[in-house]
Amino acid sequence: MSEVKIAAESRTEFGKGAARRIRRADKVPGVLYGHGADPLHLTLPGHDLLLALRTPNVLISLDIDGKTNELAIPKAVQRDPLKGFLEHVDLLLVKRGEKVTVEIPVHTEGELAPGGNLLEHVLNALPVEAEATHIPESVTVSVEGLEAGASVHAKDIKLPSGTTLAVDEDAVVLQVLAAQAEEAAEGEESEAGDEAAEA
């Protein structure tokens, strides 16, 4: 997993007015917390942060005021609901070798068995525990040939070395739903209604 270096400035102004001024300068207010330390309020470059956040659970190397370097992962990101720009970010301080609990995206590959069945993502992201500097970006699950009624459980997913589940191993991650079940039932009811009308 690659580290993304971002220069950050410590911040002493708070409140909505200060946040608006920061955002007008194409920067993002943020807070770095963790390890029992006092939260550190930061100002981060908007474009660099936006690029970094395209990678799930990205590891950010913060150069704070050109004096200290800290490793962090994003924990909460607030975006403007209409325009999508970054409003605020919470960063969690991590150390090399430390285990952290994160959610990683679940991707699928392959085709379901013929029949028009539907694949439901019960969990879009899988909670796992991994070393802070080796968080997997995602996991890929094969659904090749799965038929209606089939399920993929957390324990069925092959995780990278050093990564363990942070959810019940029997939790359902994916399941295959029969596509025509409801339509068929409705069709039977209408046929029964036609027969009753004819009688």
Side-chain angles (χ1 to χ4, degrees), residues 22 25-28 43-53 86:
I22 290 168
D26 192 27
K27 296 183 178 181
V28 180
T43 300
L44 303 123
H47 183 68
D48 292 351
L49 185 60
L50 194 62
L51 291 177
L53 293 175
L86 296 172

Side-chain angles (χ1 to χ4, degrees), residues 33-39 92-93:
Y33 64 94
H35 290 280
D38 290 336
L92 180 65
L93 185 65

Side-chain angles (χ1 to χ4, degrees), residues 41-64:
H41 296 266
L42 301 171
T43 300
L44 303 123
H47 183 68
D48 292 351
L49 185 60
L50 194 62
L51 291 177
L53 293 175
R54 288 182 178 172
T55 302
N57 301 309
V58 64
L59 186 67
I60 298 173
S61 175
L62 292 168
D63 178 6
I64 303 171

